[in-house]
Amino acid sequence: MAKIAAESLIERLAAWGVDTVFGLPGDGINGIMEGLRRHRDRVRFVLVHHEEAAALMATGYAKATGRVGVCLATSGPGGIHLLNGLYDAKLDHVPVLAITGMQETSVLGTGYQQEVHLDKLFADVAEYNMVITNPGQLPSLVDLAIRTAYARRGVAHLTLPNDLQVAEAGADPYRHVAPARLPQTAPVYLKPSGIPRQEDVEWAAEVLNNAERPAMLVGQGALHAGGEVLAVAEALGAPVVKTLLGKAVIPDDSPYTTGGIGLLGTRPSEELMDEADVLFMIGTNFPYTKFLPEPDRTRVVQFEADPTRAGARVPTDVPVVCDAKEGLRALLPLLKRRNGSPHLTKYQKMMGKWRADMKSLENPGRNPVAPQYAVSVLDELAADDAILACDSGTVATWAARHWTIRGDRRFYLSGTLATMANGLPYAIAMQHAFPGRQVIAYVGDGGFAMLMAEFLTAVRHRLPIKVVINNNNSLGQILWEQMVLGYPEHGVRFAAPEADFAAWARACGGFGAKVTEAGDVAPAIRQALEHDGPALVDIDVDPNEPPMPGKVTYDQAKSFAQAFLKGQPHRAAIATTLFKDRIQRLGE
């Protein structure tokens, strides 16, 4: 059987260490599917139900492994469906390769069925974006695409017309210019060392050593540098704030952390940002500048791997381009160690109170079930090396505050894009990448419903993922955002009948449990975690529990009150829930 060009594509992917491709077949990629079939011993194909899920799986795979994630879609609508997941990769800076099909070259430009020029459509999302026009290009352009995805921490896209996919491998019909040559360089991405310039490190040390009220802000770029972050925090006597993508940098019970920042963060972190005289940003380009210190009164030192992002958010006194781990290692010997820090002690006391407040909301005696209690049970029962794939919405607030990083736990979500429906595809991809670890998707009912067919994908691939649904029968985050704007809620609660996703899980052949009472939460989650296959727990939680910011501003409180006065339809239930929360914080 003659070797076809699509095999050159798959062979080169395998040479780069790609072991999994997530996708959905179509007549625009039949040649690529044949290439995958012929090399199924080297690269496995994971069949999904929707191309958006394939792109999200590739993104989740890249986030969890650091290796390039690969997704595949047919021409036209298939490629269009990839875009949301690809933007998640772009905005959170992870390497993903998207491969799409295209109509035969002989009909391009004629308005043929499903003729969408995906290279033009992907122009904004992709760092590398190429239509293959010659089979001889394939090995070299696969190399360039993957190198670019790694080097620029983003999306690469290759689209192959149907006739080229099945052409003879290595065919080169246009030899009159220059023959295509197979690459001789080994398919290994040589990551830059990321070692900072000595003068930059000395400059950073000078500013940090003179700080009286230092604060550290760490993000996903420091996930591999947790030990160094703690060593610097100890030397400076500095509290450490964690972005949501950087939640797993250091343990949540560390005496140095004040937890998260922003709407999902803690009050101590917000107070710290108001008080700090020097902010040390490590591995983060935190986009929500309103939560950062005022530029005129706080000096900023930043360790950032990408030169284009260094100093991009706030005026930065010392922008240092380096890998977080390498930079901190170089910095540590230059820091003047402090014996005791009243500044740090102050925030340790504040965090003690914050943790007690959060613990008081994890009340097992409330019905409807308090969402804080549901996630606290999951936190208690899950393994110390569990991977949590969190969806967007109110679930992100509950996970940020009640899912504890300890041991070798990991935490992933759609950060900058904050797309819904990422939790389940992430979990599937991460379970493929780490078959021996406990992988949990913590999702809302709105996000789960968008791509719920992928639970069947998990069953078919015998992936023992666990899904816990925070079911408030609404788009909870939007509900509260409407109220903060001063508007009564509208169009955010789903009408009857209410969904029973546990029934769907059982219909798929997995474990499914529906929970409506607080007393049943722990038994159901425990049974799901012990189940040897895919399992889902659908928990009906209090739909009127607000994801309150760590520090409520006057304007937020005013708008919230105005929404009530304008005729909030559920104001009695919301007021009752808020009253219960307040009582519990006071020590019910």
Side-chain angles (χ1 to χ4, degrees), residues 233-512:
E234 180 182 9
L236 293 175
V240 179
V241 181
K242 303 187 291 181
T243 69
L244 204 51
L245 288 173
K247 182 174 171 62
V249 172
I250 62 175
D252 279 316
D253 62 357
S254 167
Y256 293 100
T257 187
T258 58
I261 186 175
L263 289 174
L264 283 61
T266 70
R267 185 182 184 93
S269 290
E270 290 210 37
E271 298 282 355
L272 178 61
M273 289 294 147
D274 289 340
E275 187 182 18
D277 62 349
V278 174
L279 175 63
F280 187 11
M281 299 174 66
I282 307 166
T284 180
N285 191 36
F286 188 71
Y288 310 105
T289 54
K290 69 178 181 179
F291 295 104
L292 297 177
E294 292 293 332
D296 295 338
R297 57 176 178 74
T298 305
R299 303 190 72 185
V300 176
V301 176
Q302 184 178 12
F303 280 11
E304 169 58 56
D306 186 343
T308 65
R309 297 200 297 266
R313 296 300 182 192
V314 291
T316 303
D317 298 76
V318 189
V320 182
V321 178
C322 66
D323 172 77
K325 193 180 191 77
E326 298 287 357
L328 294 176
R329 283 179 171 175
L331 175 69
L332 268 166
L334 305 179
L335 296 178
K336 297 177 181 177
R337 306 187 70 84
R338 308 184 185 196
N339 296 320
S341 170
H343 172 64
L344 176 62
T345 300
K346 172 184 174 180
Y347 283 93
Q348 288 172 336
K349 290 179 180 178
M350 291 175 66
M351 272 306 290
K353 183 180 185 308
W354 173 265
R355 291 186 178 107
D357 285 346
M358 294 300 101
K359 189 69 176 176
S360 70
L361 297 176
E362 300 169 359
N363 188 335
R366 279 174 49 184
N367 279 303
V369 178
Q372 299 96 325
Y373 172 66
V375 72
S376 75
V377 172
L378 177 63
D379 177 63
E380 178 184 350
L381 296 179
D384 283 352
D385 67 346
I387 299 173
L388 189 75
C390 183
D391 221 299
S392 297
T394 56
V395 287
T397 299
W398 312 136
R401 295 175 177 174
H402 302 274
W403 171 261
T404 306
I405 297 299
R406 62 174 184 263
D408 191 28
R409 281 187 173 179
R410 299 192 193 180
F411 177 81
Y412 299 99
L413 80 170
S414 174
T416 306
L417 185 63
T419 181
M420 293 174 65
N422 65 289
L424 178 59
Y426 273 23
I428 290 172
M430 292 169 187
Q431 193 74 81
H432 269 292
F434 301 102
R437 293 182 71 164
Q438 188 180 79
V439 180
I440 303 164
Y442 177 55
V443 300
D445 55 294
F448 181 76
M450 288 180 173
L451 293 173
M452 61 189 285
E454 302 308 335
F455 187 83
L456 186 54
T457 301
V459 173
R460 286 172 171 159
H461 286 269
R462 297 179 175 85
L463 297 172
I465 64 165
K466 315 304 175 188
V467 180
V468 176
I469 300 178
N470 183 85
N471 193 339
N472 54 21
N473 200 44
S474 66
L475 300 174
Q477 189 70 35
I478 308 305
L479 186 159
W480 299 105
E481 287 174 352
Q482 288 179 355
M483 293 185 65
V484 167
L485 288 172
Y487 305 137
E489 65 174 71
H490 179 70
V492 290
R493 299 195 194 235
F494 295 108
E498 295 186 8
D500 181 356
F501 296 111
W504 164 247
R506 293 192 297 271
C508 291
F511 172 89

Side-chain angles (χ1 to χ4, degrees), residues 185-265:
T185 306
V188 176
Y189 173 64
L190 302 176
K191 182 179 178 181
S193 64
I195 297 174
R197 299 188 308 172
Q198 182 62 26
E199 56 266 38
D200 289 344
V201 179
E202 291 174 356
W203 187 15
E206 179 184 352
V207 173
L208 292 167
N209 284 331
N210 288 326
E212 296 181 2
R213 300 178 304 280
M216 297 169 63
L217 176 63
V218 300
Q220 65 174 340
L223 285 171
H224 65 307
E228 288 78 10
V229 167
L230 287 173
V232 170
E234 180 182 9
L236 293 175
V240 179
V241 181
K242 303 187 291 181
T243 69
L244 204 51
L245 288 173
K247 182 174 171 62
V249 172
I250 62 175
D252 279 316
D253 62 357
S254 167
Y256 293 100
T257 187
T258 58
I261 186 175
L263 289 174
L264 283 61

Side-chain angles (χ1 to χ4, degrees), residues 57-68:
M57 288 177 192
T59 300
Y61 184 94
K63 286 184 177 182
T65 65
R67 304 197 302 272
V68 65

Side-chain angles (χ1 to χ4, degrees), residues 128-151:
Y128 186 88
N129 187 17
M130 185 61 62
V131 183
I132 304 296
T133 57
N134 184 327
Q137 292 175 288
L138 268 170
S140 295
L141 296 196
V142 171
D143 277 17
L144 287 170
I146 293 180
R147 288 179 187 276
T148 303
Y150 275 128

